[in-house]
Amino acid sequence: MEHVDRCVVLVDAGYLLGAAASLLAGEPARSRITVDHTALIQGLRELAEADTARPLLRIYWFDGAPDRVPQPEHRRLRVMPRVTVRLGALTRSDGRWAQKGVDAAMHAELTELARNRACSDVVLVTGDGDLLPGLMSAKEHGVAVHLWAVQAADGDYNQSEDLVAEADERRVLDRTWITRAVRAKEFGGICAPPPAPRPEIAAILSAPLPESALAASAERAAEAAAAAAAVRGAGPAAAENGAAPVAERGGVPAPATAKGVPTPKDLAGLRGPGTVQPPAHPGGATLRWSSDKGWVERPGGPLGEPPETASLPTLAQLTSAEQRWADREEDITTVGGDPFEVGQVFARRWMERLPEQVHVHKLSTMYPRIPHRIDGELLRYAARFGLLAHKDDQIDEHDRYAIRAGFWREIDVRAAAEHAPAGE
């Protein structure tokens, strides 16, 4: 049986994007670059078909992910035409991330394609010498192997020399080709500007804490100051005459009393773009408006939830079996997984299915805190997209802010549209 005249591309994403980051940003951290995956896949397809003079069968994208949970970029890639995503594990050891199982998966796919004569040409985008046995096996089955490299930042090889020597054909993806789809995040040279800050996230970060939390923070800070003064031998009086303490809540000063806390109507004004400045150190801010029961007092009701929010229906209660199927289909095929986008999608579905719009008014009075049941459901929904891993060192607080900010932005936009005069 002869080989089918078509080509297959096997991409080691860790190598391709890591080498691109080294070339454009000076270090192999993928966080230093932004990637247009649509343009990248299209570029790989066009170049593979031109180099091999064969039509493309498929592009296999091999990458690592924590617990093999697809990340937003994997979700976008796997629904593209002619793209198959294969995920290995991404583990952390001694403060560094490492892929596990990616090389083995590439080796298995390469040898299986060659053994089954599924293609006549294979393009390998990798630098790992562990694939040498697979490459040699493919050649023995009559497959032409094309090895592609990313231009090295230091001018030297970033591929195994044995792999280079064994390949039938070789190509280097140079800086000009790479920058069609990849940009460094820093200013200067070939780069893209950093993403614009979202005023909605700044509003949530900067909004005052609930009254009960402010009072508790002030009390704890006063006790700590008194204890420190006692240790110094000055006694409690020194603490009363000293500078006002600052609560360790993301750099937010704790007032002496809880008086003067803005009303829900005041908090609603925080949603206007440009009206709120982010805190000095948002990265260290405590996770506010959390669904953790110990953070905000919730008197009333068996679950400690206020009566006015206990009546708010959850999205699960509003969703039929047919809608659940449609939601899952949308999540798989069109929702990319950006945290802000995830919050918007959840809020859109919730508002569209509400039987009474009075629920929207109740929710708006609580801004920026989302009621416990709905907030927990929102974060569980976000977990489907790999945004909230269960390991502590993988949870990104900024993602949680962005999810909630997206939720509130969608609520605002849709509520405004419903109340706009006809014809506007």
Side-chain angles (χ1 to χ4, degrees), residues 37-302:
H37 290 91
T38 301
L40 182 58
I41 293 299
Q42 184 61 29
L44 289 170
R45 177 172 186 167
E46 292 175 353
L47 193 57
E49 291 181 335
D51 269 14
T52 64
R54 302 285 189 268
L56 177 76
L57 170 62
R58 190 173 297 115
I59 294 176
Y60 289 90
W61 186 271
F62 296 87
D63 203 2
D67 297 328
R68 290 186 168 86
V69 176
Q71 301 300 294
E73 66 181 273
H74 303 138
R75 298 180 64 87
R76 289 190 291 270
L77 284 162
R78 67 184 185 180
V79 297
M80 292 181 184
R82 304 278 179 160
V83 176
T84 294
V85 175
R86 297 279 190 256
L87 294 179
L90 191 63
T91 60
R92 194 169 188 176
S93 178
D94 297 327
R96 301 183 64 182
W97 292 99
Q99 293 184 160
K100 299 293 183 183
V102 172
D103 295 337
M106 288 190 70
H107 179 276
E109 200 70 58
L110 175 59
T111 54
E112 193 70 12
L113 288 167
R115 183 182 300 114
N116 292 327
R117 300 179 180 272
C119 58
S120 59
D121 296 74
V122 168
V123 175
L124 289 178
V125 186
T126 185
D128 198 330
D130 290 345
L131 276 178
L132 183 61
L135 186 154
M136 297 174 67
S137 175
K139 289 175 61 177
E140 291 171 359
H141 284 88
V143 173
V145 179
H146 304 250
L147 181 65
W148 291 0
V150 175
Q151 178 182 338
D154 57 6
D156 199 358
Y157 284 132
N158 53 13
Q159 288 181 306
S160 161
E161 292 188 17
D162 291 335
L163 210 61
V164 172
E166 195 67 31
D168 294 307
E169 304 284 348
R170 188 167 184 262
R171 168 183 284 277
V172 176
L173 305 176
D174 61 17
R175 180 186 294 267
T176 300
W177 191 92
I178 290 293
T179 51
R180 294 174 185 173
V182 183
R183 296 288 188 274
K185 289 184 178 180
E186 295 82 7
F187 287 102
I190 302 175
C191 64
R198 295 191 185 274
E200 301 90 346
I201 299 177
I204 290 178
L205 283 168
S206 302
L209 296 171
E211 183 171 341
S212 59
L214 282 171
S217 294
E219 183 178 351
R220 285 193 298 271
E223 291 174 354
V231 170
R232 292 194 302 267
E240 296 178 1
N241 297 326
V246 175
E248 294 297 327
R249 292 285 181 184
V252 178
T257 68
K259 295 181 180 180
V261 175
T263 64
K265 183 181 294 185
D266 297 327
L267 291 177
L270 291 173
R271 281 175 274 188
T275 59
V276 177
Q277 296 298 322
H281 304 287
T286 298
L287 233 165
R288 282 188 219 157
W289 322 120
S290 169
S291 59
D292 296 337
K293 293 183 179 180
W295 176 234
V296 178
E297 293 181 6
R298 298 181 180 86

